[in-house]
Amino acid sequence: MPLVVLVLALAACRDDDGPGGITIVTGVTSNVTTLTPDTTSTTTSTTASGSEGASGSTSTTDPVDATSSSGSTTTTTGDETTAVDVSSTTMTGPVDPVAACLEKVDPGDECSACICTDCLDLWNACHDDQGCAIIQECAQESSCYGIDCLDACETTINLWGGIGGTSFGLWHPMTNCLEATCRPLCPW
């Protein structure tokens, strides 16, 4: 990869409080792109030295589709050197719940795939409630959906608070979604 030679001229003006001078800084800047199967990153590194004994280097990393990055910066002003280290950070985006659900579905299981794509939020809310999950289990064993399950699962529904209870309140919209979108794909 070609190196770009960078010549910087910095001029400091003399002020009333002390001597000023001219510092000419020369340096080399190079860009290096690193490719790995999971990440791509570009690193820029600059090294410079000047006429008053000042020198410094700067190294930065630009992550591109990277999950972590790190870098450090060294700044020199006159005889002082300040170094700042940037610790590694992990960037993770939000997990797509539908994609995560579909990853768990066996190939050819169209019923579960439909639940993931069309009724996932309602399914998860129901299965976070023990009573709702038990009512759904009864509905599946009875091969029914929605209000058609009131007779077949009456005892189970009543055990978990009846039609006015929390469990039924979570189950009813879920079973309506399943009936409207997944019924042809689900065996119950």
Side-chain angles (χ1 to χ4, degrees), residues 7 15 42 46 48 52 54 75 98 111 115 140 161 179 181 183:
V7 177
D15 60 9
T42 302
T46 303
E52 293 184 359
T75 306
V98 172
C111 177
I115 292 169
Q140 284 179 229
E179 183 176 27
T181 60
R183 187 173 193 159

Side-chain angles (χ1 to χ4, degrees), residues 10-185:
L10 300 174
C13 296
R14 175 176 235 161
D15 60 9
D16 293 338
D17 294 336
I22 297 176
T23 302
I24 297 175
V25 179
T26 60
V28 177
T29 301
S30 62
N31 289 326
V32 178
T33 301
T34 307
L35 298 174
T36 62
D38 296 331
T39 63
T40 302
S41 63
T42 302
T43 302
T44 302
S45 179
T46 303
T47 304
S49 62
S51 65
E52 293 184 359
S55 65
S57 66
T58 302
S59 173
T60 60
T61 302
D62 272 336
V64 180
D65 296 328
T67 56
S68 65
S69 66
S70 64
S72 66
T73 302
T74 304
T75 306
T76 302
T77 308
D79 292 332
E80 289 183 35
T81 301
T82 306
V84 178
D85 287 328
V86 180
S87 61
S88 293
T89 57
T90 301
M91 298 178 293
T92 58
V95 176
D96 180 14
V98 172
C101 180
L102 288 171
E103 285 179 10
K104 298 175 186 175
V105 173
D106 291 330
D109 184 354
E110 294 176 319
C111 177
S112 294
C114 181
I115 292 169
C116 289
T117 58
D118 295 337
C119 303
L120 185 61
D121 289 340
L122 294 169
W123 180 269
N124 286 340
C126 177
H127 285 81
D128 285 343
D129 178 85
Q130 182 181 10
C132 184
I134 291 172
I135 294 170
Q136 178 58 26
E137 186 178 309
C138 177
Q140 284 179 229
E141 289 172 1
S142 302
S143 298
C144 62
Y145 291 86
I147 60 170
D148 293 339
C149 296
L150 290 179
D151 288 334
C153 298
E154 179 180 16
T155 303
T156 304
I157 292 169
N158 287 336
L159 181 64
W160 291 98
I163 59 172
T166 302
S167 297
F168 186 85
L170 292 168
W171 176 78
H172 194 252
M174 182 208 55
T175 192
N176 287 342
C177 179
L178 294 175
E179 183 176 27
T181 60
C182 301
R183 187 173 193 159
L185 304 172

